[in-house]
Structures are given as C-alpha cells and as structure tokens.
Amino acid sequence: MSELDLKPALEAVLMVVDEPATEAHLAKVLDRTPREVADALRELADEYTAQGRGFELRVVAGGWRFYTRAAYAPAVEAFVLDGQQARLTQAALETLAVVAYRQPVSRSRVSAVRGVNCDGVMRTLLQRGLVEEAGAEPETGAILYRTTNYFLERMGLRGLDELPELAPFLPEAEAVEPDSLEGVPSFDPDEDETDETTED
C-alpha cells in the first residue's frame, strides 16, 4: 500500500468512512506511520481551506472526517430536507442538554431537572444514537445514560470538554439552582423527530 500517493489515498478512504477515522487506523490500513498520516491530513485540511472548497476536513470525536463547510450548510440543508422539518423538538433538545451536562445521569434525574417525565424523549434519543446506557447507579440500580460519539460528531466537538460554558446562557435577574439547566444552549443535530406529546 505504501506505493500509493498518501494524500489521494487518504481522500479515497475518508470518502467512504461511516464515522471519524483515527490517525492510527488510517496509518495501519495505508501502511504508513501515524506521523506521516497526521502531517498529510493537516496539509489536506489547510489546502481545502485555502482553496475555499465547499467541504472541510476536521478532527471530531477523536478522528478525521469530511464535513460541509459551515458557509455552505444552507445549500446542503435545502437539498436534504427539501422543505421537510428535520430538527429535534424543544423537549428533546432540553433532555439532550441535561444528559450532556450531567452525564452519567438517570432518567429520573433528567425528569427532575426538566420538571416533566422524559421517558418518551429518552427513548427517541436512544433510538437516534445520541445517548446510550452507561451502567447502573450503585445506590438505586437505576440505569445511567451518557452522550455518544455520534453526539460529538453531530455537534462538531472533539470531546465533552468543548461543550460551551453554561454561565453565559443562564438568567441574570434571578438566582439559578446548580442543578437547573434553564437557558442551556439549544442543540440541533439536524435529526428528524416528531413532537413528543407523552410528557406529563
């Protein structure tokens, strides 16, 4: 494999990946050193930016993948959606935010923070691969949930440490309890979901 030109080989592989590819994995399949792969990937990313291409190469969730450049997202959205709504409901966004900032967290804890039953919304988030089970709470045996790598990928984050700080989004005029997540930034992974009406 080493006889192939590295940059075109990386482009070819990254065109077909289903999830971000790590430098170590790319180096293994292309029979190159991780350093060679890392340097080539960064050069490709810089080239695409310099050329003003409609896509970019980014590190997300621990690996590299092609993404639409933000400036051209409206064109892609118009093509993919074609007038259809493909956003999470407000209830799902709020639930996802609670899980993201409080993980690992139980359903009952999420419901307590939101003030409504979140079972239906949690099922939706699980089905869409945005959250997953993360063991059980020792004291109660309740199932705990956390966000997935797919969540990081859809949000364009390298890791959870890149989640925005909550303070700028919290109300200034009133004190907010530490466990409250009112005013958290809205997440929009562009996923289709019908409005949840089963919450109490």
Side-chain angles (χ1 to χ4, degrees):
M1 188 83 61
S2 58
E3 68 275 3
L4 292 176
D5 189 37
L6 182 55
K7 286 184 181 179
L10 286 169
E11 290 176 322
V13 172
L14 291 172
M15 286 291 292
V16 299
V17 297
D18 292 326
E19 57 187 26
T22 65
E23 293 170 3
H25 188 201
L26 291 169
K28 179 181 178 182
V29 299
L30 297 177
D31 195 22
R32 298 295 185 94
T33 67
R35 180 57 183 271
E36 286 178 308
V37 169
D39 289 344
L41 287 167
R42 284 170 177 77
E43 288 175 14
L44 282 171
D46 290 343
E47 289 172 14
Y48 299 147
T49 298
Q51 295 167 4
R53 306 298 292 269
F55 58 88
E56 60 183 339
L57 187 57
R58 287 194 282 138
V59 179
V60 172
W64 291 82
R65 190 173 185 181
F66 286 118
Y67 290 87
T68 300
R69 198 169 296 280
Y72 299 98
V76 176
E77 183 175 343
F79 176 79
V80 174
L81 302 185
D82 193 20
Q84 299 177 7
Q85 180 60 265
R87 298 177 185 274
L88 288 173
T89 63
Q90 187 65 32
L93 293 173
E94 292 173 3
T95 301
L96 185 56
V98 175
V99 175
Y101 282 93
R102 297 294 183 195
Q103 60 187 306
V105 63
S106 66
R107 287 191 189 199
S108 61
R109 183 62 174 156
V110 174
S111 295
V113 172
R114 290 198 59 230
V116 292
N117 184 289
C118 69
D119 288 355
V121 177
M122 285 292 286
R123 282 194 297 272
T124 296
L125 296 176
L126 281 163
Q127 291 169 353
R128 300 198 181 287
L130 293 167
V131 300
E132 64 186 1
E133 293 185 4
E137 196 170 46
E139 299 82 6
T140 65
I143 297 174
L144 298 173
Y145 297 90
R146 65 187 175 204
T147 54
T148 62
N149 277 339
Y150 180 63
F151 165 81
L152 293 176
E153 180 185 342
R154 298 295 295 180
M155 292 302 301
L157 303 173
R158 296 170 188 257
L160 293 174
D161 57 333
E162 290 192 353
L163 282 170
E165 293 293 329
L166 284 179
F169 300 96
L170 296 176
E172 297 178 6
E174 58 185 272
V176 179
E177 293 297 321
D179 287 334
S180 173
L181 286 177
E182 269 191 72
V184 294
S186 292
F187 292 99
D188 182 8
D190 292 327
E191 289 286 336
D192 184 28
E193 178 194 6
T194 55
D195 193 16
E196 291 287 339
T197 57
T198 59
E199 297 184 358
D200 299 326

PDB file of all heavy atoms in Angstrom, residues 11 14-15 44-58 65-73 76:
ATOM      1  N   GLU A  11      -7.799  10.672   0.968  1.00  0.00           N
ATOM      2  CA  GLU A  11      -9.059  11.219   0.461  1.00  0.00           C
ATOM      3  C   GLU A  11     -10.022  10.102   0.081  1.00  0.00           C
ATOM      4  O   GLU A  11     -11.214  10.158   0.391  1.00  0.00           O
ATOM      5  CB  GLU A  11      -8.792  12.117  -0.747  1.00  0.00           C
ATOM      6  CG  GLU A  11      -8.100  13.417  -0.389  1.00  0.00           C
ATOM      7  CD  GLU A  11      -7.748  14.251  -1.609  1.00  0.00           C
ATOM      8  OE1 GLU A  11      -7.351  13.654  -2.635  1.00  0.00           O
ATOM      9  OE2 GLU A  11      -7.879  15.475  -1.545  1.00  0.00           O
ATOM     10  N   LEU A  14     -11.353   8.413   3.291  1.00  0.00           N
ATOM     11  CA  LEU A  14     -12.242   9.285   4.058  1.00  0.00           C
ATOM     12  C   LEU A  14     -13.567   9.537   3.349  1.00  0.00           C
ATOM     13  O   LEU A  14     -14.552   9.928   3.993  1.00  0.00           O
ATOM     14  CB  LEU A  14     -11.537  10.612   4.365  1.00  0.00           C
ATOM     15  CG  LEU A  14     -10.372  10.498   5.354  1.00  0.00           C
ATOM     16  CD1 LEU A  14      -9.609  11.809   5.437  1.00  0.00           C
ATOM     17  CD2 LEU A  14     -10.871  10.075   6.730  1.00  0.00           C
ATOM     18  N   MET A  15     -13.610   9.304   2.044  1.00  0.00           N
ATOM     19  CA  MET A  15     -14.866   9.460   1.315  1.00  0.00           C
ATOM     20  C   MET A  15     -15.875   8.371   1.678  1.00  0.00           C
ATOM     21  O   MET A  15     -17.074   8.545   1.470  1.00  0.00           O
ATOM     22  CB  MET A  15     -14.612   9.414  -0.198  1.00  0.00           C
ATOM     23  CG  MET A  15     -13.961  10.667  -0.752  1.00  0.00           C
ATOM     24  SD  MET A  15     -15.054  12.105  -0.704  1.00  0.00           S
ATOM     25  CE  MET A  15     -16.280  11.623  -1.913  1.00  0.00           C
ATOM     26  N   LEU A  44      -3.842  18.503   3.980  1.00  0.00           N
ATOM     27  CA  LEU A  44      -5.072  18.455   3.189  1.00  0.00           C
ATOM     28  C   LEU A  44      -6.096  19.441   3.734  1.00  0.00           C
ATOM     29  O   LEU A  44      -6.733  20.181   2.969  1.00  0.00           O
ATOM     30  CB  LEU A  44      -5.664  17.039   3.211  1.00  0.00           C
ATOM     31  CG  LEU A  44      -5.012  16.005   2.306  1.00  0.00           C
ATOM     32  CD1 LEU A  44      -5.558  14.613   2.592  1.00  0.00           C
ATOM     33  CD2 LEU A  44      -5.216  16.358   0.836  1.00  0.00           C
ATOM     34  N   ALA A  45      -6.252  19.474   5.046  1.00  0.00           N
ATOM     35  CA  ALA A  45      -7.216  20.391   5.663  1.00  0.00           C
ATOM     36  C   ALA A  45      -6.875  21.837   5.327  1.00  0.00           C
ATOM     37  O   ALA A  45      -7.753  22.639   4.977  1.00  0.00           O
ATOM     38  CB  ALA A  45      -7.234  20.190   7.180  1.00  0.00           C
ATOM     39  N   ASP A  46      -5.594  22.168   5.376  1.00  0.00           N
ATOM     40  CA  ASP A  46      -5.161  23.537   5.058  1.00  0.00           C
ATOM     41  C   ASP A  46      -5.389  23.855   3.580  1.00  0.00           C
ATOM     42  O   ASP A  46      -5.780  24.968   3.225  1.00  0.00           O
ATOM     43  CB  ASP A  46      -3.675  23.716   5.402  1.00  0.00           C
ATOM     44  CG  ASP A  46      -3.426  23.716   6.908  1.00  0.00           C
ATOM     45  OD1 ASP A  46      -4.399  23.908   7.667  1.00  0.00           O
ATOM     46  OD2 ASP A  46      -2.266  23.506   7.314  1.00  0.00           O
ATOM     47  N   GLU A  47      -5.145  22.869   2.726  1.00  0.00           N
ATOM     48  CA  GLU A  47      -5.331  23.068   1.283  1.00  0.00           C
ATOM     49  C   GLU A  47      -6.799  23.348   0.964  1.00  0.00           C
ATOM     50  O   GLU A  47      -7.115  24.242   0.179  1.00  0.00           O
ATOM     51  CB  GLU A  47      -4.852  21.838   0.511  1.00  0.00           C
ATOM     52  CG  GLU A  47      -3.336  21.661   0.502  1.00  0.00           C
ATOM     53  CD  GLU A  47      -2.908  20.332  -0.090  1.00  0.00           C
ATOM     54  OE1 GLU A  47      -3.750  19.652  -0.741  1.00  0.00           O
ATOM     55  OE2 GLU A  47      -1.736  19.953   0.084  1.00  0.00           O
ATOM     56  N   TYR A  48      -7.704  22.562   1.566  1.00  0.00           N
ATOM     57  CA  TYR A  48      -9.133  22.758   1.309  1.00  0.00           C
ATOM     58  C   TYR A  48      -9.583  24.146   1.759  1.00  0.00           C
ATOM     59  O   TYR A  48     -10.380  24.801   1.089  1.00  0.00           O
ATOM     60  CB  TYR A  48      -9.967  21.693   2.039  1.00  0.00           C
ATOM     61  CG  TYR A  48      -9.665  20.273   1.626  1.00  0.00           C
ATOM     62  CD1 TYR A  48      -9.750  19.225   2.539  1.00  0.00           C
ATOM     63  CD2 TYR A  48      -9.291  19.967   0.316  1.00  0.00           C
ATOM     64  CE1 TYR A  48      -9.480  17.921   2.177  1.00  0.00           C
ATOM     65  CE2 TYR A  48      -9.009  18.661  -0.052  1.00  0.00           C
ATOM     66  CZ  TYR A  48      -9.097  17.644   0.877  1.00  0.00           C
ATOM     67  OH  TYR A  48      -8.828  16.355   0.514  1.00  0.00           O
ATOM     68  N   THR A  49      -9.049  24.592   2.894  1.00  0.00           N
ATOM     69  CA  THR A  49      -9.405  25.917   3.395  1.00  0.00           C
ATOM     70  C   THR A  49      -8.874  27.007   2.475  1.00  0.00           C
ATOM     71  O   THR A  49      -9.581  27.956   2.127  1.00  0.00           O
ATOM     72  CB  THR A  49      -8.857  26.118   4.823  1.00  0.00           C
ATOM     73  OG1 THR A  49      -9.448  25.143   5.691  1.00  0.00           O
ATOM     74  CG2 THR A  49      -9.181  27.513   5.334  1.00  0.00           C
ATOM     75  N   ALA A  50      -7.623  26.856   2.055  1.00  0.00           N
ATOM     76  CA  ALA A  50      -7.005  27.848   1.184  1.00  0.00           C
ATOM     77  C   ALA A  50      -7.718  27.935  -0.164  1.00  0.00           C
ATOM     78  O   ALA A  50      -7.834  29.013  -0.761  1.00  0.00           O
ATOM     79  CB  ALA A  50      -5.526  27.513   0.973  1.00  0.00           C
ATOM     80  N   GLN A  51      -8.232  26.795  -0.630  1.00  0.00           N
ATOM     81  CA  GLN A  51      -8.918  26.754  -1.924  1.00  0.00           C
ATOM     82  C   GLN A  51     -10.380  27.186  -1.813  1.00  0.00           C
ATOM     83  O   GLN A  51     -11.057  27.342  -2.827  1.00  0.00           O
ATOM     84  CB  GLN A  51      -8.847  25.339  -2.499  1.00  0.00           C
ATOM     85  CG  GLN A  51      -7.428  24.889  -2.836  1.00  0.00           C
ATOM     86  CD  GLN A  51      -7.340  23.391  -3.095  1.00  0.00           C
ATOM     87  OE1 GLN A  51      -8.348  22.673  -3.096  1.00  0.00           O
ATOM     88  NE2 GLN A  51      -6.132  22.902  -3.298  1.00  0.00           N
ATOM     89  N   GLY A  52     -10.869  27.351  -0.582  1.00  0.00           N
ATOM     90  CA  GLY A  52     -12.261  27.745  -0.396  1.00  0.00           C
ATOM     91  C   GLY A  52     -13.237  26.676  -0.829  1.00  0.00           C
ATOM     92  O   GLY A  52     -14.329  26.985  -1.334  1.00  0.00           O
ATOM     93  N   ARG A  53     -12.869  25.411  -0.627  1.00  0.00           N
ATOM     94  CA  ARG A  53     -13.744  24.312  -1.037  1.00  0.00           C
ATOM     95  C   ARG A  53     -15.032  24.300  -0.215  1.00  0.00           C
ATOM     96  O   ARG A  53     -15.101  24.859   0.865  1.00  0.00           O
ATOM     97  CB  ARG A  53     -13.022  22.966  -0.863  1.00  0.00           C
ATOM     98  CG  ARG A  53     -11.670  22.893  -1.555  1.00  0.00           C
ATOM     99  CD  ARG A  53     -11.784  23.052  -3.063  1.00  0.00           C
ATOM    100  NE  ARG A  53     -12.442  21.929  -3.701  1.00  0.00           N
ATOM    101  CZ  ARG A  53     -11.781  20.859  -4.168  1.00  0.00           C
ATOM    102  NH1 ARG A  53     -10.465  20.781  -4.070  1.00  0.00           N
ATOM    103  NH2 ARG A  53     -12.439  19.869  -4.745  1.00  0.00           N
ATOM    104  N   GLY A  54     -16.055  23.637  -0.727  1.00  0.00           N
ATOM    105  CA  GLY A  54     -17.343  23.574  -0.043  1.00  0.00           C
ATOM    106  C   GLY A  54     -17.351  22.583   1.099  1.00  0.00           C
ATOM    107  O   GLY A  54     -18.340  22.476   1.827  1.00  0.00           O
ATOM    108  N   PHE A  55     -16.265  21.851   1.265  1.00  0.00           N
ATOM    109  CA  PHE A  55     -16.149  20.897   2.364  1.00  0.00           C
ATOM    110  C   PHE A  55     -14.842  21.170   3.096  1.00  0.00           C
ATOM    111  O   PHE A  55     -13.972  21.883   2.604  1.00  0.00           O
ATOM    112  CB  PHE A  55     -16.173  19.453   1.848  1.00  0.00           C
ATOM    113  CG  PHE A  55     -15.084  19.165   0.848  1.00  0.00           C
ATOM    114  CD1 PHE A  55     -13.827  18.734   1.265  1.00  0.00           C
ATOM    115  CD2 PHE A  55     -15.307  19.333  -0.511  1.00  0.00           C
ATOM    116  CE1 PHE A  55     -12.821  18.473   0.340  1.00  0.00           C
ATOM    117  CE2 PHE A  55     -14.302  19.074  -1.441  1.00  0.00           C
ATOM    118  CZ  PHE A  55     -13.063  18.646  -1.011  1.00  0.00           C
ATOM    119  N   GLU A  56     -14.739  20.587   4.281  1.00  0.00           N
ATOM    120  CA  GLU A  56     -13.512  20.715   5.063  1.00  0.00           C
ATOM    121  C   GLU A  56     -13.197  19.395   5.733  1.00  0.00           C
ATOM    122  O   GLU A  56     -14.074  18.539   5.882  1.00  0.00           O
ATOM    123  CB  GLU A  56     -13.645  21.822   6.107  1.00  0.00           C
ATOM    124  CG  GLU A  56     -14.768  21.604   7.098  1.00  0.00           C
ATOM    125  CD  GLU A  56     -14.911  22.768   8.062  1.00  0.00           C
ATOM    126  OE1 GLU A  56     -13.936  23.521   8.223  1.00  0.00           O
ATOM    127  OE2 GLU A  56     -15.997  22.920   8.646  1.00  0.00           O
ATOM    128  N   LEU A  57     -11.957  19.235   6.115  1.00  0.00           N
ATOM    129  CA  LEU A  57     -11.503  18.029   6.809  1.00  0.00           C
ATOM    130  C   LEU A  57     -11.241  18.424   8.251  1.00  0.00           C
ATOM    131  O   LEU A  57     -10.443  19.318   8.516  1.00  0.00           O
ATOM    132  CB  LEU A  57     -10.224  17.502   6.142  1.00  0.00           C
ATOM    133  CG  LEU A  57      -9.674  16.166   6.616  1.00  0.00           C
ATOM    134  CD1 LEU A  57     -10.724  15.067   6.482  1.00  0.00           C
ATOM    135  CD2 LEU A  57      -8.430  15.800   5.803  1.00  0.00           C
ATOM    136  N   ARG A  58     -11.960  17.778   9.167  1.00  0.00           N
ATOM    137  CA  ARG A  58     -11.858  18.178  10.577  1.00  0.00           C
ATOM    138  C   ARG A  58     -11.672  16.972  11.486  1.00  0.00           C
ATOM    139  O   ARG A  58     -12.063  15.857  11.158  1.00  0.00           O
ATOM    140  CB  ARG A  58     -13.136  18.901  11.017  1.00  0.00           C
ATOM    141  CG  ARG A  58     -13.292  20.285  10.460  1.00  0.00           C
ATOM    142  CD  ARG A  58     -14.368  21.037  11.208  1.00  0.00           C
ATOM    143  NE  ARG A  58     -15.711  20.642  10.799  1.00  0.00           N
ATOM    144  CZ  ARG A  58     -16.714  20.447  11.651  1.00  0.00           C
ATOM    145  NH1 ARG A  58     -16.522  20.548  12.936  1.00  0.00           N
ATOM    146  NH2 ARG A  58     -17.908  20.127  11.199  1.00  0.00           N
ATOM    147  N   ARG A  65     -12.757  13.365   9.440  1.00  0.00           N
ATOM    148  CA  ARG A  65     -13.862  13.112   8.510  1.00  0.00           C
ATOM    149  C   ARG A  65     -14.146  14.379   7.714  1.00  0.00           C
ATOM    150  O   ARG A  65     -13.869  15.487   8.172  1.00  0.00           O
ATOM    151  CB  ARG A  65     -15.107  12.701   9.290  1.00  0.00           C
ATOM    152  CG  ARG A  65     -16.238  12.194   8.403  1.00  0.00           C
ATOM    153  CD  ARG A  65     -17.376  11.636   9.216  1.00  0.00           C
ATOM    154  NE  ARG A  65     -18.394  11.052   8.354  1.00  0.00           N
ATOM    155  CZ  ARG A  65     -19.511  10.514   8.782  1.00  0.00           C
ATOM    156  NH1 ARG A  65     -19.769  10.481  10.073  1.00  0.00           N
ATOM    157  NH2 ARG A  65     -20.386  10.021   7.940  1.00  0.00           N
ATOM    158  N   PHE A  66     -14.697  14.187   6.517  1.00  0.00           N
ATOM    159  CA  PHE A  66     -15.114  15.330   5.704  1.00  0.00           C
ATOM    160  C   PHE A  66     -16.426  15.890   6.238  1.00  0.00           C
ATOM    161  O   PHE A  66     -17.323  15.127   6.614  1.00  0.00           O
ATOM    162  CB  PHE A  66     -15.318  14.919   4.237  1.00  0.00           C
ATOM    163  CG  PHE A  66     -14.031  14.675   3.493  1.00  0.00           C
ATOM    164  CD1 PHE A  66     -13.741  13.430   2.967  1.00  0.00           C
ATOM    165  CD2 PHE A  66     -13.116  15.700   3.313  1.00  0.00           C
ATOM    166  CE1 PHE A  66     -12.558  13.207   2.277  1.00  0.00           C
ATOM    167  CE2 PHE A  66     -11.931  15.492   2.621  1.00  0.00           C
ATOM    168  CZ  PHE A  66     -11.655  14.243   2.105  1.00  0.00           C
ATOM    169  N   TYR A  67     -16.544  17.202   6.250  1.00  0.00           N
ATOM    170  CA  TYR A  67     -17.759  17.880   6.662  1.00  0.00           C
ATOM    171  C   TYR A  67     -18.048  19.021   5.700  1.00  0.00           C
ATOM    172  O   TYR A  67     -17.136  19.595   5.114  1.00  0.00           O
ATOM    173  CB  TYR A  67     -17.630  18.460   8.086  1.00  0.00           C
ATOM    174  CG  TYR A  67     -17.586  17.406   9.157  1.00  0.00           C
ATOM    175  CD1 TYR A  67     -16.377  16.825   9.526  1.00  0.00           C
ATOM    176  CD2 TYR A  67     -18.749  16.964   9.781  1.00  0.00           C
ATOM    177  CE1 TYR A  67     -16.325  15.837  10.503  1.00  0.00           C
ATOM    178  CE2 TYR A  67     -18.715  15.988  10.756  1.00  0.00           C
ATOM    179  CZ  TYR A  67     -17.493  15.423  11.114  1.00  0.00           C
ATOM    180  OH  TYR A  67     -17.457  14.436  12.069  1.00  0.00           O
ATOM    181  N   THR A  68     -19.329  19.348   5.577  1.00  0.00           N
ATOM    182  CA  THR A  68     -19.702  20.518   4.792  1.00  0.00           C
ATOM    183  C   THR A  68     -19.154  21.759   5.477  1.00  0.00           C
ATOM    184  O   THR A  68     -19.270  21.903   6.688  1.00  0.00           O
ATOM    185  CB  THR A  68     -21.235  20.638   4.700  1.00  0.00           C
ATOM    186  OG1 THR A  68     -21.756  19.465   4.072  1.00  0.00           O
ATOM    187  CG2 THR A  68     -21.644  21.877   3.912  1.00  0.00           C
ATOM    188  N   ARG A  69     -18.558  22.662   4.705  1.00  0.00           N
ATOM    189  CA  ARG A  69     -18.101  23.919   5.287  1.00  0.00           C
ATOM    190  C   ARG A  69     -19.330  24.717   5.721  1.00  0.00           C
ATOM    191  O   ARG A  69     -20.340  24.765   5.023  1.00  0.00           O
ATOM    192  CB  ARG A  69     -17.258  24.700   4.275  1.00  0.00           C
ATOM    193  CG  ARG A  69     -16.398  25.789   4.919  1.00  0.00           C
ATOM    194  CD  ARG A  69     -15.399  26.355   3.927  1.00  0.00           C
ATOM    195  NE  ARG A  69     -14.428  25.364   3.466  1.00  0.00           N
ATOM    196  CZ  ARG A  69     -13.361  24.996   4.171  1.00  0.00           C
ATOM    197  NH1 ARG A  69     -13.122  25.531   5.346  1.00  0.00           N
ATOM    198  NH2 ARG A  69     -12.523  24.097   3.688  1.00  0.00           N
ATOM    199  N   ALA A  70     -19.237  25.322   6.887  1.00  0.00           N
ATOM    200  CA  ALA A  70     -20.391  25.985   7.505  1.00  0.00           C
ATOM    201  C   ALA A  70     -21.075  26.979   6.571  1.00  0.00           C
ATOM    202  O   ALA A  70     -22.300  27.084   6.546  1.00  0.00           O
ATOM    203  CB  ALA A  70     -19.949  26.680   8.795  1.00  0.00           C
ATOM    204  N   ALA A  71     -20.278  27.691   5.781  1.00  0.00           N
ATOM    205  CA  ALA A  71     -20.854  28.709   4.894  1.00  0.00           C
ATOM    206  C   ALA A  71     -21.801  28.104   3.859  1.00  0.00           C
ATOM    207  O   ALA A  71     -22.682  28.786   3.335  1.00  0.00           O
ATOM    208  CB  ALA A  71     -19.732  29.469   4.178  1.00  0.00           C
ATOM    209  N   TYR A  72     -21.638  26.798   3.561  1.00  0.00           N
ATOM    210  CA  TYR A  72     -22.458  26.153   2.538  1.00  0.00           C
ATOM    211  C   TYR A  72     -23.503  25.215   3.119  1.00  0.00           C
ATOM    212  O   TYR A  72     -24.195  24.505   2.376  1.00  0.00           O
ATOM    213  CB  TYR A  72     -21.554  25.403   1.553  1.00  0.00           C
ATOM    214  CG  TYR A  72     -20.598  26.335   0.858  1.00  0.00           C
ATOM    215  CD1 TYR A  72     -19.287  26.462   1.308  1.00  0.00           C
ATOM    216  CD2 TYR A  72     -21.006  27.135  -0.198  1.00  0.00           C
ATOM    217  CE1 TYR A  72     -18.407  27.355   0.702  1.00  0.00           C
ATOM    218  CE2 TYR A  72     -20.135  28.024  -0.813  1.00  0.00           C
ATOM    219  CZ  TYR A  72     -18.846  28.131  -0.356  1.00  0.00           C
ATOM    220  OH  TYR A  72     -17.984  29.019  -0.954  1.00  0.00           O
ATOM    221  N   ALA A  73     -23.641  25.223   4.450  1.00  0.00           N
ATOM    222  CA  ALA A  73     -24.635  24.363   5.096  1.00  0.00           C
ATOM    223  C   ALA A  73     -26.060  24.627   4.596  1.00  0.00           C
ATOM    224  O   ALA A  73     -26.837  23.684   4.423  1.00  0.00           O
ATOM    225  CB  ALA A  73     -24.560  24.528   6.611  1.00  0.00           C
ATOM    226  N   VAL A  76     -26.809  22.553   1.512  1.00  0.00           N
ATOM    227  CA  VAL A  76     -26.971  21.132   1.806  1.00  0.00           C
ATOM    228  C   VAL A  76     -28.306  20.888   2.501  1.00  0.00           C
ATOM    229  O   VAL A  76     -29.018  19.942   2.195  1.00  0.00           O
ATOM    230  CB  VAL A  76     -25.806  20.628   2.690  1.00  0.00           C
ATOM    231  CG1 VAL A  76     -26.031  19.171   3.081  1.00  0.00           C
ATOM    232  CG2 VAL A  76     -24.483  20.782   1.958  1.00  0.00           C
TER     233      VAL A  76
END
